[in-house]
Amino acid sequence: VISQANRVVFTSSAPFGPTLVAAPTDVYVMNLDGSGIEAVTHFSSASSVASHAVISANGAWVAFALTEASGTQVWIVRPDGTGLRRLSAGAADATNPSISNDGTIVSYVQAGQVRQVTGLNAPIDVARFTLSNPLGSLISGDGRRIGVMLGPPSGFAAGIYLADSNATSTFAQLMRVFTPRFLFSNGIVSAGGTAPPSVGSLITAYG
């Protein structure tokens, strides 16, 4: 969230202190010492909530997630407020944007997949999952690789993998970075259902 010029990007509905009136959550930039706060976006509805803002290392672009009545989507904008446009496509919620050093590549999570947008091109899937659930992505500074946090469909992140940018990968093609072996809480049960295991019985282990 900090550029090489020490500009910090953040989101807030009250950047200068508490207010008595409901306000939208906008994107702001400021200096590292907290001075020079400037609004990047100017949403009109209090139901507009910007979050997960990230600024490119060169300070040229800011990517963020915007939640409105229709859902959450990923957008990009220049720190001066120009060039605002939506990056994610489709109706499914898009979250957790990450941006390359020069601001030309943005990755995010949508519909159980990790996607990226390069320049003005349409989004592409860089990793496709059928069983695991991506819970976050982090693109490398040069934009060549994307780190993916994976977990079960309903749970927390359990492992970290690397995908090559600009190339669709399957789970088997990902590079393993951190993949501990573990069992879910109460994850060993009777193979015939959800009852506790018993001596001499068949069991199923979930993990």
Side-chain angles (χ1 to χ4, degrees), residues 40-85:
V40 177
T41 60
H42 301 274
F43 300 119
S44 58
S45 173
S47 62
S48 299
V49 179
S51 62
H52 298 98
V54 289
I55 190 169
S56 59
N58 65 2
W61 291 98
V62 172
F64 63 97
L66 177 63
T67 301
E68 298 178 300
S70 57
T72 302
Q73 298 297 330
V74 171
W75 292 68
I76 195 168
V77 64
R78 292 189 181 277
D80 63 3
T82 61
L84 177 66
R85 66 185 176 92

Side-chain angles (χ1 to χ4, degrees), residues 2-197:
I2 304 175
S3 72
Q4 292 169 342
N6 291 330
R7 292 289 277 172
V8 180
V9 65
F10 66 99
T11 62
S12 177
S13 60
F16 302 104
T19 63
L20 299 178
V21 180
T25 301
D26 277 299
V27 179
Y28 295 84
V29 290
M30 68 179 180
N31 297 321
L32 196 56
D33 62 3
S35 65
I37 296 177
E38 299 175 3
V40 177
T41 60
H42 301 274
F43 300 119
S44 58
S45 173
S47 62
S48 299
V49 179
S51 62
H52 298 98
V54 289
I55 190 169
S56 59
N58 65 2
W61 291 98
V62 172
F64 63 97
L66 177 63
T67 301
E68 298 178 300
S70 57
T72 302
Q73 298 297 330
V74 171
W75 292 68
I76 195 168
V77 64
R78 292 189 181 277
D80 63 3
T82 61
L84 177 66
R85 66 185 176 92
R86 176 176 159 178
L87 291 183
S88 54
D93 286 348
T95 59
N96 298 102
S98 180
I99 194 167
S100 62
N101 283 352
D102 60 6
T104 61
I105 305 176
V106 175
S107 68
Y108 58 91
V109 174
Q110 185 179 35
Q113 309 301 331
V114 176
R115 295 179 172 154
Q116 78 169 46
V117 175
T118 302
L120 297 175
N121 297 322
I124 64 170
D125 290 347
V126 295
R128 291 178 177 169
F129 305 105
T130 55
L131 298 177
S132 298
N133 182 38
L135 298 170
S137 70
L138 182 64
I139 195 165
S140 62
D142 60 12
R144 293 183 179 180
R145 285 185 169 177
I146 296 177
V148 182
M149 294 185 295
L150 285 181
S154 57
F156 299 100
I160 301 174
Y161 296 79
L162 281 179
D164 288 330
S165 180
N166 294 309
T168 299
S169 303
T170 63
F171 174 76
Q173 295 170 320
L174 300 181
M175 179 185 298
R176 293 167 174 81
V177 176
F178 178 70
T179 55
R181 296 188 179 190
F182 70 98
L183 291 173
F184 295 153
S185 178
N186 301 316
I188 299 179
V189 296
S190 166
T194 58

